[in-house]
């Protein structure tokens, strides 16, 4: 049903963003507020439910913690004027997932993206009234080429996590290398991932897997009072 469409879209994205060779410049947006990979953002936007929106803004939690912004953040729009009311930031309670883009996925870029994702997943985990089973932010990496085979990618992800002693709650959920395959976190086992060589069907499987994460209802309600830090006393009658 949707296979042919997504296969064609995958080829268009590869044609647009796959690095031409070593040292090739990535095709990025330059203006403030513009997505670094606009065609990818448009494609992802078309795959998300109508209730969710896309942004390249910064996430923030009630403690003021704010990780480096992802290339794409998928979130629930709480009010129409999000940018104005929240000063261009997105409360973590509204965030469903983040997408981090690496045109060429090698050891350096892989480590960088895994660190960025760990920082994103720290949102909302510290401070007062933090629940043990706090909602997490699903995080994905999208790449257009890789120096790894899928098996090598899996081994390197596990190796990096073991070397850095990263907790499972900070691990990546999906890596998609268009034209090659997907790496998926196996939640049933500790430090476990499944690598699949999906070839031209990679975007299709990324869409299916991402949709499953986006369908999960978040239990954490947005508490606007938690974001008010000013100690102001008002007259009470």
């Amino acid at each position: 049903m949707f296979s042919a469409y997504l296969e064609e879209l995958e080829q268009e994205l590869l044609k647009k963003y796959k690095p031409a060779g070593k040292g090739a410049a990535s095709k990025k947006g330059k203006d403030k507020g513009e997505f670094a990979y606009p065609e990818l953002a448009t494609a992802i936007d078309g795959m998300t439910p109508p209730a969710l929106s896309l942004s390249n803004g910064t996430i923030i939690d009630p403690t003021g913690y704010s990780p480096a912004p992802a290339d794409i953040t998928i979130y629930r729009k709480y009010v129409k004027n999000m940018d104005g009311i929240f000063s261009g930031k997105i409360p973590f309670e509204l965030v469903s997932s983040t997408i981090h883009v690496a045109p060429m996925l090698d050891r350096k870029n892989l480590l960088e993206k895994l660190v960025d994702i760990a920082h994103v997943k720290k949102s909302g985990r510290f401070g007062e009234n933090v629940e043990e089973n706090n909602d997490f932010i699903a995080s994905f990496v999208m790449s257009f080429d890789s120096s790894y085979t899928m098996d090598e990618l899996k081994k390197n992800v596990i190796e990096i996590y073991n070397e850095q002693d990263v907790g499972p709650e900070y691990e990546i959920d999906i890596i998609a290398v268009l034209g090659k395959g997907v790496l998926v976190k196996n939640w049933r086992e500790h430090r476990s991932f499944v690598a699949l060589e999906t070839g031209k069907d990679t975007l299709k499987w990324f869409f299916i897997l991402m949709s499953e994460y986006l369908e999960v209802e978040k239990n954490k309600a947005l508490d606007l009072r938690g974001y008010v830090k000013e100690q102001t006393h008002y007259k009470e009658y």
Side-chain angles (χ1 to χ4, degrees):
M1 181 170 59
F2 47 78
S3 296
Y5 169 77
L6 291 174
E7 182 180 335
E8 182 179 348
L9 181 56
E10 181 169 351
Q11 293 306 311
E12 291 176 1
L13 292 172
L14 284 170
K15 184 177 180 180
K16 177 70 177 179
Y17 294 120
K18 186 174 182 178
K22 187 176 181 180
S26 58
K27 302 173 182 178
K28 288 187 143 190
K30 296 179 181 179
D31 297 334
K32 184 178 180 181
E34 181 181 334
F35 285 104
Y37 304 88
E39 286 81 1
L40 175 62
T42 299
I44 297 297
D45 189 43
M47 300 179 195
T48 56
L52 297 176
S53 300
L54 267 61
S55 173
N56 61 357
T58 304
I59 299 169
I60 191 169
D61 72 12
T63 69
Y65 175 73
S66 188
D71 292 291
I72 299 172
T73 295
I74 302 175
Y75 73 104
R76 177 173 61 88
K77 216 168 192 179
Y78 188 76
V79 292
K80 292 180 180 178
N81 186 12
M82 284 288 297
D83 286 344
I85 292 176
F86 293 106
S87 302
K89 297 185 184 296
I90 308 167
F92 92 99
E93 297 96 331
L94 304 179
V95 178
S96 293
S97 68
T98 59
I99 299 177
H100 307 254
V101 182
M104 167 59 74
L105 195 60
D106 53 20
R107 178 78 177 196
K108 177 179 178 294
N109 290 328
L110 176 61
L111 177 59
E112 178 183 296
K113 298 306 175 185
L114 294 183
V115 169
D116 287 345
I117 284 169
H119 290 166
V120 166
K121 287 177 175 284
K122 287 182 179 179
S123 301
R125 293 191 180 272
F126 305 98
E128 298 179 1
N129 303 319
V130 176
E131 300 174 13
E132 184 177 349
N133 295 319
N134 195 14
D135 286 324
F136 67 93
I137 297 173
S139 293
F140 319 127
V141 164
M142 175 72 73
S143 182
F144 309 106
D145 201 0
S146 176
S147 60
Y148 298 119
T149 65
M150 294 310 298
D151 182 49
E152 289 171 341
L153 178 59
K154 173 182 172 179
K155 291 177 180 177
N156 274 265
V157 168
I158 294 173
E159 181 181 283
I160 289 171
Y161 281 143
N162 285 334
E163 288 177 352
Q164 303 296 323
D165 195 25
V166 176
E169 66 272 26
Y170 303 120
E171 292 177 351
I172 193 168
D173 298 289
I174 303 171
I175 297 177
V177 183
L178 297 190
K180 286 195 172 185
V182 293
L183 180 77
V184 185
K185 179 177 172 63
N186 177 13
W187 285 94
R188 295 185 181 90
E189 298 178 18
H190 175 70
R191 196 79 85 212
S192 178
F193 295 86
V194 177
L196 301 169
E197 293 183 348
T198 47
K200 61 183 178 59
D201 294 328
T202 298
L203 187 61
K204 176 178 72 176
W205 283 107
F206 176 76
F207 165 59
I208 292 170
L209 294 165
M210 179 183 71
S211 296
E212 292 173 355
Y213 277 98
L214 296 182
E215 285 175 358
V216 176
E217 292 188 10
K218 293 179 70 67
N219 297 318
K220 187 71 173 176
L222 174 61
D223 180 10
L224 292 175
R225 295 172 186 245
Y227 287 87
V228 178
K229 302 303 179 184
E230 300 88 353
Q231 297 293 325
T232 305
H233 298 280
Y234 303 100
K235 289 183 179 180
E236 182 179 343
Y237 302 97

